[in-house]
Amino acid sequence: MNYKDTYQEWVDHIPSDDPLHDALVAMQDNEVEKEDSFYKNLSFGTAGLRGKVGAGTNRMNYYTVGKATQGIAQFIVQHGQEAMDKGVVIAHDPRHFSREFCEMTAGIFAANGIRVYTFPSLRPTPELAFLIRKIGTTAGINITASHNPKEYNGYKAYWNDGCQVSSEIADGMEREINAVDIWSGVKKSSYEEGVQNGKIIVLGEKEDREYLDKIESLAIHTGDEIDSSIPLVYTPLNGCGSIPFRQMLNDRGFTNWKIVPEQENPDPDFTTVGYPNPEDPKAFALSEKYGREFGAELLMATDPDSDRFAIEIRDNDGNYVPLNGNQTGYLLVNYILEGHKTAGTLPTKGAMVKSIVTSSLSTKIAKAYGVEMFETLTGFKNICGKIPYLHEHGYTYLFGYEESVGYAGCEDIRDKDGISAGMLVTEAAAYYRKQGKTLWDVLQAIYEKYGYTCEEGVNIVLDGITGRARIERMMQWIRANQPTTIAGYSVDHIVDYIGGVEDLPAQNAMRFFIDADTWFAIRPSGTEPKIKFYFYANDESMDKAKEKNAAIRDAILDLINSVE
């Protein structure tokens, strides 16, 4: 069927008293909105579902979420009674309809004979990831759109290893989802009835404490080794982080911190921040205000589901400087390795993991401490999915991260975790403060020792059907017209991941190397309507590195933007 036929099918099936029916009627004369809402099914992949909330097959709503849940339930049932008894743990963030989707999802799993664990209120994504392995469930679901704007919601799917589902598992789930009749194929039961009859088990303080205990076990320096009076400001950006982050700071003995009051409590509209992405410096506007009033040395933020984490630090002039994900990664890699070395706990065969689009500078830091840095494709299903391999080959996992402000400091939490990253950064800042140094001082020392590296990420957002098609044309063009020089710099070699490279599976991404430390990468986002660029330049000073990076950036963007 074409989008018009599918639209009419929804009009015919959805009752007139359903709010989605009103939304369908409202778009009947808007062909652009109608086409974008119905031209395809909301795709299910290794990131699960993600899209705008609304009516349509390409939207997040009770029907698309119900169809996905029924398909995953059928996939679990195919794995037998043991898989059904181990069950599914489900969490949600503060977004519009997150709680409603969560309860409906729990009821569908219960109606399919699958045990369900859930929470009485919102919880961080990393806590869900931790509890999958702690409880021993077959799968996990989190209703969240992470850092996306307020119009979005999503559905993250995890398997029994605690990682987001692999391509193989996602393909199996998707086959079952596609086989479900959206109107008659979904088994349903009420959430309340499931709780009453014991099919849905509500988790609580015990599991929250287990998650925080695991995070706090990552501490390297404690007590008199750190200055626990360091002034801090934290914002959860109206998401899930407020309670666990605050508890973590109290548990660790930090005494001089402030939470941004306007952003302390859940708000699905993210009224005071707009775009709730801590990667965007604009998200720190209120934190900076309170930081100046409070004299804070460090500003910290987590996104709405608390898996992403970003910081601003004070430079020598007292100004707050936003750090990108690579720079925070340098500080964490350096601190974890230096900290374990000074504490005498650095393993003889240590390993760290980063994505292919993350800066090479951290590889130099790891090498200086005798630790091997492994590379994976983007996404923490790949980064944390490397942990079993490391164990099999005698390595001790120390840390994994990628440039998009995601950090995994604990091998028992196999996803990015803003709460544990916050603890480690706070500890690092307090440790260096005890020595009379700031994080700014440490970052400059890293550049001086390992090379001045300029990092920049650029996203071109292209919405809708036409945008998606243009992104495809951009990738086709760059493959067909691979540059040999960029801005006067010779391209040494190109790595195209579209067919898989060595032990890495296929991904639609390319890297262009000027040399080992100066390169750029291009890939379409897997969860958002954008094509992403990653630029890195290394030189003898930061000014020269920035100049080189800017020249390469402008040259490649001019080429890409010429593709219609």
Side-chain angles (χ1 to χ4, degrees):
M1 290 192 296
N2 61 34
Y3 77 89
K4 293 181 180 180
D5 293 334
T6 308
Y7 165 79
Q8 190 59 49
E9 180 187 18
W10 278 53
V11 171
D12 294 341
H13 277 85
I14 293 180
S16 59
D17 60 350
D18 188 322
L20 284 182
H21 190 275
D22 294 339
L24 292 168
V25 172
M27 73 171 73
Q28 63 184 351
D29 296 323
N30 187 334
E31 290 301 315
V32 173
E33 183 181 359
K34 190 188 300 182
E35 183 178 14
D36 191 55
S37 299
F38 287 96
Y39 82 97
K40 69 182 182 74
N41 291 328
L42 196 63
S43 59
F44 182 91
T46 55
L49 302 172
R50 190 174 299 181
K52 292 181 179 178
V53 174
T57 56
N58 190 33
R59 296 288 186 264
M60 289 285 292
N61 52 64
Y62 290 115
Y63 297 93
T64 55
V65 172
K67 179 181 171 77
T69 303
Q70 180 62 39
I72 294 172
Q74 291 171 187
F75 183 75
I76 292 172
V77 169
Q78 290 175 357
H79 284 73
Q81 191 63 48
E82 183 181 359
M84 297 166 65
D85 291 342
K86 287 182 176 179
V88 180
V89 59
I90 308 171
H92 69 89
D93 73 4
R95 291 175 180 273
H96 289 294
F97 295 102
S98 283
R99 182 65 194 174
E100 292 85 347
F101 289 157
C102 177
E103 291 186 355
M104 183 190 71
T105 296
I108 292 171
F109 280 123
N112 281 270
I114 297 168
R115 179 173 290 137
V116 176
Y117 300 88
T118 188
F119 294 94
S121 60
L122 70 172
R123 291 298 190 279
T125 288
E127 181 171 351
L128 171 91
F130 168 70
L131 289 173
I132 291 168
R133 297 181 73 248
K134 179 68 176 179
I135 297 172
T137 65
T138 297
I141 302 293
N142 199 19
I143 309 297
T144 177
S146 190
H147 60 287
N148 284 74
K150 65 180 181 180
E151 296 83 7
Y152 284 77
N153 213 322
Y155 186 101
K156 288 184 180 179
Y158 293 75
W159 201 235
N160 57 16
D161 58 355
C163 295
Q164 290 190 48
V165 291
S166 66
S167 298
E168 180 182 359
I169 297 295
D171 289 346
M173 289 179 171
E174 187 172 25
R175 283 192 297 271
E176 291 302 314
I177 293 168
N178 291 337
V180 174
D181 184 290
I182 198 169
W183 308 118
S184 62
V186 180
K187 297 180 181 179
K188 297 179 180 179
S189 64
S190 78
Y191 177 81
E192 293 77 12
E193 181 182 347
V195 172
Q196 290 173 3
N197 62 28
K199 292 181 179 179
I200 298 174
I201 299 164
V202 180
L203 306 174
E205 292 182 4
K206 172 178 174 291
E207 289 77 21
D208 295 339
R209 187 66 260 169
E210 289 172 338
Y211 166 64
L212 286 173
D213 285 346
K214 180 56 64 174
I215 285 173
E216 291 161 17
S217 72
L218 300 174
I220 301 169
H221 291 113
T222 60
D224 292 339
E225 298 173 312
I226 62 176
D227 184 346
S228 58
S229 67
I230 183 172
L232 313 163
V233 167
Y234 164 68
T235 174
L237 298 179
N238 302 115
C240 297
S242 177
I243 293 173
F245 207 100
R246 179 168 36 197
Q247 186 63 53
M248 175 272 293
L249 290 175
N250 286 333
D251 290 347
R252 287 299 313 273
F254 293 104
T255 58
N256 194 18
W257 54 271
K258 182 178 184 66
I259 192 166
V260 175
E262 296 91 336
Q263 297 168 348
E264 180 176 4
N265 297 316
D267 174 11
D269 291 316
F270 308 110
T271 309
T272 64
V273 66
Y275 178 41
N277 185 356
E279 200 172 5
D280 185 347
K282 291 191 288 294
F284 280 85
L286 281 174
S287 296
E288 290 181 0
K289 171 181 176 291
Y290 287 108
R292 286 188 290 269
E293 294 174 1
F294 192 57
E297 187 172 307
L298 171 65
L299 311 180
M300 299 177 284
T302 51
D303 70 343
D305 68 327
S306 305
D307 61 353
R308 292 180 180 229
F309 170 80
I311 65 173
E312 290 192 357
I313 60 177
R314 293 177 73 168
D315 64 13
N316 291 335
D317 296 321
N319 301 311
Y320 288 116
V321 179
L323 299 194
N324 60 49
N326 284 291
Q327 292 171 312
T328 302
Y330 304 153
L331 290 171
L332 281 167
V333 168
N334 184 77
Y335 174 69
I336 290 168
L337 295 175
E338 179 186 346
H340 279 300
K341 186 173 182 178
T342 57
T345 54
L346 187 65
T348 56
K349 196 176 180 181
M352 292 185 163
V353 187
K354 72 175 189 67
S355 74
I356 58 172
V357 296
T358 299
S359 171
S360 306
L361 185 62
S362 58
T363 304
K364 288 184 174 181
I365 301 172
K367 186 177 180 180
Y369 285 91
V371 169
E372 187 166 353
M373 180 70 75
F374 289 83
E375 281 194 343
T376 71
L377 297 181
T378 54
F380 279 79
K381 71 181 179 70
N382 296 307
I383 291 172
C384 294
K386 194 73 175 179
I387 293 173
Y389 170 90
L390 298 177
H391 288 172
E392 291 168 10
H393 291 80
Y395 288 95
T396 299
Y397 175 85
L398 292 169
F399 187 63
Y401 83 108
E402 63 181 12
E403 45 65 50
S404 56
V405 297
Y407 312 96
C410 177
E411 66 176 47
D412 291 317
I413 305 170
R414 299 198 177 175
D415 203 350
K416 53 186 177 287
D417 181 4
I419 311 298
S420 63
M423 190 201 76
L424 287 167
V425 166
T426 303
E427 181 187 308
Y431 173 75
Y432 292 124
R433 193 171 198 255
K434 192 80 169 183
Q435 301 175 8
K437 296 186 288 187
T438 66
L439 289 179
W440 176 261
D441 296 330
V442 176
L443 182 60
Q444 304 317 303
I446 289 171
Y447 285 135
E448 185 175 347
K449 183 174 181 179
Y450 298 104
Y452 290 91
T453 298
C454 175
E455 321 88 350
E456 185 176 1
V458 177
N459 297 328
I460 299 177
V461 178
L462 298 167
D463 283 310
I465 305 168
T466 56
R468 182 184 179 191
R470 189 178 176 206
I471 288 172
E472 290 176 358
R473 290 195 298 274
M474 287 174 169
M475 292 303 298
Q476 290 168 357
W477 185 89
I478 197 68
R479 285 194 168 93
N481 300 274
Q482 298 181 9
T484 56
T485 60
I486 291 290
Y489 298 98
S490 296
V491 176
D492 181 75
H493 67 283
I494 299 169
V495 181
D496 190 346
Y497 296 89
I498 192 67
V501 175
E502 296 178 351
D503 62 337
L504 299 180
Q507 188 173 77
N508 189 11
M510 300 181 74
R511 290 168 88 183
F512 300 78
F513 287 86
I514 308 302
D515 56 48
D517 299 317
T518 299
W519 53 274
F520 63 91
I522 308 173
R523 75 175 186 93
S525 171
T527 58
E528 299 173 272
K530 62 178 65 170
I531 183 168
K532 307 183 77 169
F533 300 82
Y534 312 80
F535 297 97
Y536 300 100
N538 186 278
D539 217 310
E540 61 187 18
S541 71
M542 186 56 77
D543 286 342
K544 288 186 176 181
K546 288 180 177 178
E547 183 180 349
K548 181 190 289 186
N549 215 39
I552 294 170
R553 176 203 65 208
D554 292 346
I556 195 63
L557 291 180
D558 283 347
L559 288 174
I560 288 292
N561 280 315
S562 69
V563 179
E564 295 297 332

